[in-house]
């Protein structure tokens, strides 16, 4: 089999890439090892992720599937009182902030919808597991070997090979690029399932995301998936999970009862309707993630932390950016350069590095972060949460996060002492983020 572009992974990143390539007149092949629908975690979109869905012309289909509509995120502090609300907002052409909505979705349904749509629009599909990249003598990619569902092997020749294999990090594992370096939140564990019978807000905000903060790097999510079902998950240090010596299920149930008073109130009974699953070591970085005839997109090269639901957006936005870069390459651009996709790599990093600063700022000083988000620069913070990070626009909220990361809370206390006395008298528990080992770049 011969194709211009082979995409390894038929998740949302792979399907998005296929659909944007088809718009460029390129017919790709998607290789997927699992049979869809299949379970996946990652059920809440940012505002700009909804923007990518709309750019693909899928808003009507999302509404037809009745994926829950998300207007914002409410974050509850450890006492279970006075939540902060971050609305989903877009920028109009005139640059004004305007209310909009995005979606929550059961990933088995969403991922199948996306893959089916990519195939319906013209992508070829191969059910099988990519096992190794095939290389030319000069080290550039010439194809991919696939173990087919029936046990046989197929070599697919391609000009460009794209790894969108998620946390499997397929190309990194094959040795085409470096091994992953642990990220700042690699020592965390997430334990999650789904419940029915939860108490939700009434009206428009019924399907919003709720975040319950317990202490540093220890929190829970509550993401509505349909009228009945809510995805719930607890994230904590791995050492805390290990110290409890409980099964995943027992750990989750007890944590849901104890973690935060407001979360306990919303779960009068805990009826788990899904298996309880856990993910460890989900924070990492692979670099470089582009090269001669290949690139990695989304989780295949980096995942930072699930706290603000950036994962889907990053993979889908990178896929959107990748399509014109691949088209230019197929037409001959940058072919003689050591890394023909260096510009794409820089663009992807320009956004994801900002998320790193945002998340590091949050975890190193949550109260200083709240000060920035709710008092000092709320509009700019809304831009960051929505996903408007792949640009060079100055963002004072982001600069503030970087100050927090560098100097801690002190800098902000000096800035506005009254606010601190009122809101965060003693509760801040700064941690030092473990930034070692450093990524090799
Ligand atoms: C605890 C946790 C909570 C999260 N919550 C959120 C959230 O609320 N919102 C959000 O936006 N993100 C969230 N994420 C991140 C989100 O899950 C991912 O960013 C997203 O799924 C990435 O999409 P993708 O298409 O790149 O990869 P995936 O969705 O992982 O898809 C990759 C596909 O590749 C296939 N594959 C893998 N290897 C091969 C191979 N060798 N050959 C063929 N096929 C292969 C897999 O079967 C899979 O279908 C969360 C992550 C974690 C760990």
């Amino acid at each position: 089999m011969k194709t211009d572009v082979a995409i390894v992974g038929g998740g949302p990143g792979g399907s998005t890439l296929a659909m944007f390539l088809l718009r460029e007149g390129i017919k790709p092949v998607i290789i997927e090892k699992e049979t869809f629908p299949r379970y996946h975690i990652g059920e809440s979109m940012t505002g700009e992720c909804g923007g990518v869905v709309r750019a693909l012309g899928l808003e009507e289909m999302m509404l037809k599937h009745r994926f829950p509509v998300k207007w914002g995120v409410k974050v509850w502090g450890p006492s279970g009182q006075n939540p902060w609300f971050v609305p989903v907002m877009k920028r109009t052409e005139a640059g004004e902030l305007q209310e909009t909505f995005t979606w929550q979705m059961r990933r088995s349904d969403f991922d199948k919808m996306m893959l089916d749509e990519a195939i319906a629009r013209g992508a070829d599909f191969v059910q099988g597991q990519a096992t190794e990249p095939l290389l030319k003598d000069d080290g550039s990619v010439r194809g991919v070997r696939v173990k087919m569902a029936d046990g046989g092997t197929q070599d697919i020749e391609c000009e460009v090979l794209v790894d969108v294999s998620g946390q499997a990090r397929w190309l990194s594992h094959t040795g085409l690029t470096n091994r992953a370096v642990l990220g700042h939140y690699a020592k965390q564990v997430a334990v999650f399932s789904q419940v029915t019978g939860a108490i939700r807000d009434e009206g428009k905000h019924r399907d919003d995301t709720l975040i319950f903060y317990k202490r540093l790097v220890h929190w829970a999510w509550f993401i509505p998936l349909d009228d009945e079902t809510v995805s719930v998950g607890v994230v904590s240090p791995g050492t805390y999970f290990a110290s409890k010596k409980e099964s995943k299920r027992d750990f989750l149930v007890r944590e849901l009862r104890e973690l935060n008073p407001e979360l306990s109130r919303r779960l009068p009974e805990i009826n788990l309707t899904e298996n309880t699953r856990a993910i460890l070591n989900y924070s990492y970085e692979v670099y470089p993630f582009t090269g001669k005839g290949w690139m990695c997109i989304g989780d295949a090269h980096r995942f930072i932390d699930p706290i603000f639901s950036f994962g889907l957006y990053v993979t889908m936005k990178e896929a959107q950016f990748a399509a014109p870069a691949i088209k230019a390459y197929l037409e001959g651009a940058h072919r003689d350069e050591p890394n023909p996709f260096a510009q794409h790599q820089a663009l992807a990093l320009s956004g994801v590095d900002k998320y790193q600063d945002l998340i590091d700022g949050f975890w190193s000083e949550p109260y200083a972060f709240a000060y920035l988000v709710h008092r000092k620069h709320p509009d700019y913070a809304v831009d960051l949460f929505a996903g408007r990070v792949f640009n060079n626009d100055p963002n004072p909220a982001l600069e503030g996060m970087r100050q927090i990361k560098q100097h801690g809370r002190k800098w902000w206390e000096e800035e506005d002492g009254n606010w601190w006395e009122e809101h965060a008298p003693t509760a801040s528990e700064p941690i030092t983020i473990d930034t070692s080992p450093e990524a090799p770049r």
Side-chain angles (χ1 to χ4, degrees):
M1 189 176 193
K2 236 180 170 170
T3 181
D4 282 333
V5 185
I7 300 171
V8 175
S15 301
T16 299
L17 176 62
M19 287 189 260
F20 280 117
L21 284 171
L22 285 159
R23 280 206 185 159
E24 301 281 0
I26 300 159
K27 188 176 170 71
V29 175
I30 300 174
I31 302 153
E32 169 58 54
K33 65 178 177 155
E34 301 274 345
T35 307
F36 283 25
R38 52 97 178 91
Y39 179 90
H40 206 295
I41 195 60
E43 297 138 326
S44 187
M45 288 188 182
T46 64
E48 290 294 325
C49 188
V52 180
V53 168
R54 290 181 176 100
L56 285 169
L58 294 172
E59 174 160 11
E60 213 175 295
M61 198 177 272
M62 295 293 286
L63 295 171
K64 210 168 119 206
H65 273 78
R66 304 196 49 195
F67 290 116
V69 160
K70 165 181 169 185
W71 293 95
V73 181
K74 227 186 237 182
V75 184
W76 300 82
S79 64
Q81 284 164 0
N82 306 325
W84 315 324
F85 180 69
V86 183
V88 175
M89 300 191 94
K90 65 178 178 188
R91 290 268 174 196
T92 63
E93 276 179 24
E96 307 279 322
L97 278 177
Q98 192 180 73
E99 188 184 54
T100 186
F101 63 86
T102 186
W103 289 277
Q104 323 276 25
M105 65 268 130
R106 186 178 266 112
R107 285 286 301 275
S108 47
D109 296 338
F110 175 69
D111 292 13
K112 180 163 179 0
M113 181 197 94
M114 293 286 284
L115 183 58
D116 287 350
E117 185 60 16
I119 295 168
R121 290 184 186 189
D124 284 324
F125 181 70
V126 170
Q127 183 83 62
Q129 177 167 1
T131 55
E132 59 181 294
L134 305 172
L135 304 181
K136 295 181 194 158
D137 290 343
D138 67 356
S140 63
V141 163
R142 67 172 175 85
V144 50
R145 182 154 295 158
V146 181
K147 186 173 165 208
M148 304 296 285
D150 64 7
T153 297
Q154 181 175 176
D155 286 354
I156 300 176
E157 286 176 48
C158 63
E159 293 289 317
V160 182
L161 177 60
V162 189
D163 175 8
V164 206
S165 64
Q167 297 245 340
R169 305 192 296 272
W170 172 66
L171 271 183
S172 165
H173 284 296
T174 65
L176 185 66
T177 183
N178 292 320
R179 304 289 289 194
V181 169
L182 289 185
H184 295 182
Y185 309 100
K187 293 166 190 158
Q188 298 286 100
V189 59
V191 184
F192 44 88
S193 181
Q194 295 171 5
V195 295
T196 52
I199 296 174
R200 318 236 299 240
D201 286 350
E202 291 302 321
K204 178 174 163 181
H205 293 289
R206 189 166 192 274
D207 292 334
D208 285 354
T209 295
L210 308 182
I211 298 284
F212 299 93
Y213 176 86
K214 179 170 184 181
R215 65 170 75 91
L216 289 159
V217 293
H218 191 165
W219 57 282
W221 76 72
F222 180 108
I223 299 174
L225 298 180
D226 60 30
D227 282 349
E228 299 291 320
T229 316
V230 174
S231 164
V232 285
V234 169
V235 180
S236 79
T239 46
Y240 173 82
F241 173 72
S243 74
K244 292 293 176 190
K245 298 188 169 45
E246 292 166 328
S247 68
K248 285 179 284 191
R249 190 178 194 285
D250 290 350
F251 176 85
L252 180 63
V253 169
R254 186 191 43 72
E255 285 286 312
L256 292 174
R257 289 209 177 100
E258 294 175 0
L259 187 140
N260 185 289
E262 176 61 17
L263 178 57
S264 320
R265 185 188 75 76
R266 285 174 182 266
L267 298 174
E269 281 178 38
I270 299 174
N271 308 313
L272 298 183
T273 55
E274 249 295 342
N275 294 332
T276 305
R277 296 174 165 86
I279 300 191
L280 302 153
N281 301 336
Y282 51 66
S283 182
Y284 53 78
E285 179 172 3
V286 173
Y287 187 85
F289 56 94
T290 59
K292 280 184 169 284
W294 63 271
M295 64 168 74
C296 309
I297 283 180
D299 290 21
H301 71 88
R302 187 149 170 200
F303 187 71
I304 301 173
D305 188 85
I307 180 79
F308 297 125
S309 298
F310 293 139
L312 271 178
Y313 171 58
V314 168
T315 195
M316 290 171 69
K317 195 69 189 172
E318 285 186 11
Q320 185 177 12
F321 289 141
I326 291 172
K327 181 174 192 218
Y329 176 82
L330 291 175
E331 289 171 350
H334 309 297
R335 286 264 177 172
D336 301 331
E337 294 172 18
N339 182 352
F341 295 117
Q343 278 175 19
H344 169 80
Q345 181 168 274
L347 176 60
L349 280 178
S350 73
V352 185
D353 282 346
K354 284 180 194 154
Y355 278 151
Q356 185 78 57
D357 289 340
L358 179 78
I359 292 171
D360 287 351
F362 176 73
W363 283 127
S364 52
E365 281 289 355
Y367 287 93
F369 184 91
Y371 171 76
L372 266 180
V373 169
H374 298 283
R375 182 172 173 99
K376 191 82 179 154
H377 299 299
D379 290 1
Y380 287 107
V382 160
D383 283 332
L384 296 176
F385 287 119
R388 288 181 281 280
V389 293
F390 294 95
N391 56 45
N392 293 321
D393 300 347
N395 188 311
L398 181 70
E399 284 316 310
M401 313 284 170
R402 289 176 173 151
Q403 294 289 345
I404 293 173
K405 198 170 154 178
Q406 229 184 326
H407 305 294
R409 166 181 170 172
K410 213 169 177 327
W411 195 74
W412 292 101
E413 279 177 325
E414 282 162 14
E415 179 96 347
D416 195 347
N418 291 341
W419 187 90
W420 286 97
E421 275 179 30
E422 208 180 311
H423 288 84
T426 54
S428 191
E429 314 164 58
I431 54 161
T432 309
I433 294 168
D434 178 7
T435 54
S436 61
E438 287 293 338
R441 69 180 166 89

